[in-house]
Amino acid sequence: MEPLRILIVEDHEPDAALLLRELRQGGYAPVHKRVDTASEMSRALDAEPWDIVTSDHVMPNFSSLDALRLLHDKGMDLPFIIVSGQIGEGAAVDAMKAGANDYVMKANLKRLVPAIQREVHDAQVRRERRQSEAELRAREEESRRRHTRHLALLKRLSRSLSEAKDFDTLLERALGGVMEALRSSSGALFVRDATSGELSLGALSGVSLEFPEILNKMLARANADWNTKDAQRSALLKHLLYHTSVIDTHTLGFPSKHTRFVVSVPLRSAGKTIA
């Protein structure tokens, strides 16, 4: 049996019982509440989540159009089906224009289960679409914030680098800019020799006591792999040089108790990795 939370707007309890029996015969296990006034319906909508609302068309103190208006005033996107013993074609058309999803005659309740199945499914599709759209908007907003932050960072970094008095200061400021962009607490900047292709440690920041040793081993491994010109052994260095990478220290050849991963970001100029 499929669960179904249904709010029944109906002043005649036997008719509500017939509706529930039809749902059970159709494979549903309904959890329901019956109301027949605006105040009762309002409290029920606020108190619990519902999958669908059904409503009689005309009641002594309430109507399906009143119920539909109340539902819309609360901003709720719930399927709304009129289940009525008497409703003219014109009134049914007006109700559909006002936002009712369907109408079923009490004399023909066999139409009720298929109508509910369709409308509950369509409502779920709408919710999923709204959720996807909200997630997309959130990602786009985060992307805009990140882009704005990076532009501001590049502006500050450009000014800072232009004011550097010597090469060592320039390297330290460049490393600081990269660390800020990556939101990293520690890092190192390697400078690549244009002639030999070897890397040398140019700047270091925010490291643990064991980190310099790890970096020196990484540097020696990379330079050795590069100088051998062996395709397999130089693959690691080439990957580090040309791709932003996240590599565990075990793969780098020196498992570490404190440092599990290294993030490598190539700095490129004129199509070449320079650091």
Side-chain angles (χ1 to χ4, degrees), residues 92-130:
V93 170
D94 290 341
M96 299 289 280
K97 288 180 178 179
N101 297 94
D102 203 348
Y103 68 95
V104 175
M105 303 304 294
K106 290 181 179 178
N108 186 24
L109 286 180
K110 294 300 180 183
R111 284 195 60 243
L112 180 64
V113 169
I116 286 179
Q117 289 172 336
R118 181 189 66 246
E119 297 305 331
V120 168
H121 172 267
D122 289 351
Q124 178 63 27
V125 170
R126 290 196 300 273
R127 283 192 294 270
E128 291 174 354
R129 183 169 58 247
R130 285 196 299 270

Side-chain angles (χ1 to χ4, degrees), residues 51-127:
D51 297 319
I52 195 164
V53 177
T54 63
S55 176
D56 195 359
H57 181 53
V58 178
M59 293 164 281
N61 301 307
F62 208 28
S63 73
S64 62
L65 293 180
D66 293 332
L68 186 59
R69 192 176 303 112
L70 192 158
L71 186 66
H72 289 170
D73 287 345
K74 287 182 175 292
M76 294 182 169
D77 181 16
L78 286 176
F80 187 95
I81 296 178
I82 296 173
V83 181
S84 178
Q86 292 183 344
I87 182 171
E89 184 175 345
V93 170
D94 290 341
M96 299 289 280
K97 288 180 178 179
N101 297 94
D102 203 348
Y103 68 95
V104 175
M105 303 304 294
K106 290 181 179 178
N108 186 24
L109 286 180
K110 294 300 180 183
R111 284 195 60 243
L112 180 64
V113 169
I116 286 179
Q117 289 172 336
R118 181 189 66 246
E119 297 305 331
V120 168
H121 172 267
D122 289 351
Q124 178 63 27
V125 170
R126 290 196 300 273
R127 283 192 294 270

Side-chain angles (χ1 to χ4, degrees), residues 10 21 44 112 219:
E10 171 63 68
R21 187 181 69 178
L112 180 64
L219 180 59

Side-chain angles (χ1 to χ4, degrees), residues 12 17 40 60 66 75 87 102 154 165 177 182 184 196 205 212 218 236 255:
H12 193 219
E40 289 178 347
D66 293 332
I87 182 171
D102 203 348
L154 287 173
K165 301 297 184 182
L182 296 177
S184 172
S196 67
S205 177
M218 176 180 172
L236 173 63

Side-chain angles (χ1 to χ4, degrees), residues 5 7 31-33 43-50 76 78:
R5 300 188 61 83
L7 180 60
V31 175
H32 79 285
K33 185 174 183 63
R43 286 194 296 270
L45 289 172
D46 292 338
E48 301 178 58
W50 301 100
M76 294 182 169
L78 286 176

Side-chain angles (χ1 to χ4, degrees), residues 149-161:
R149 182 173 65 86
H150 285 172
L151 286 178
L153 170 61
L154 287 173
K155 185 176 181 179
R156 293 197 310 272
L157 181 58
S158 177
R159 183 170 58 248
S160 177
L161 293 179

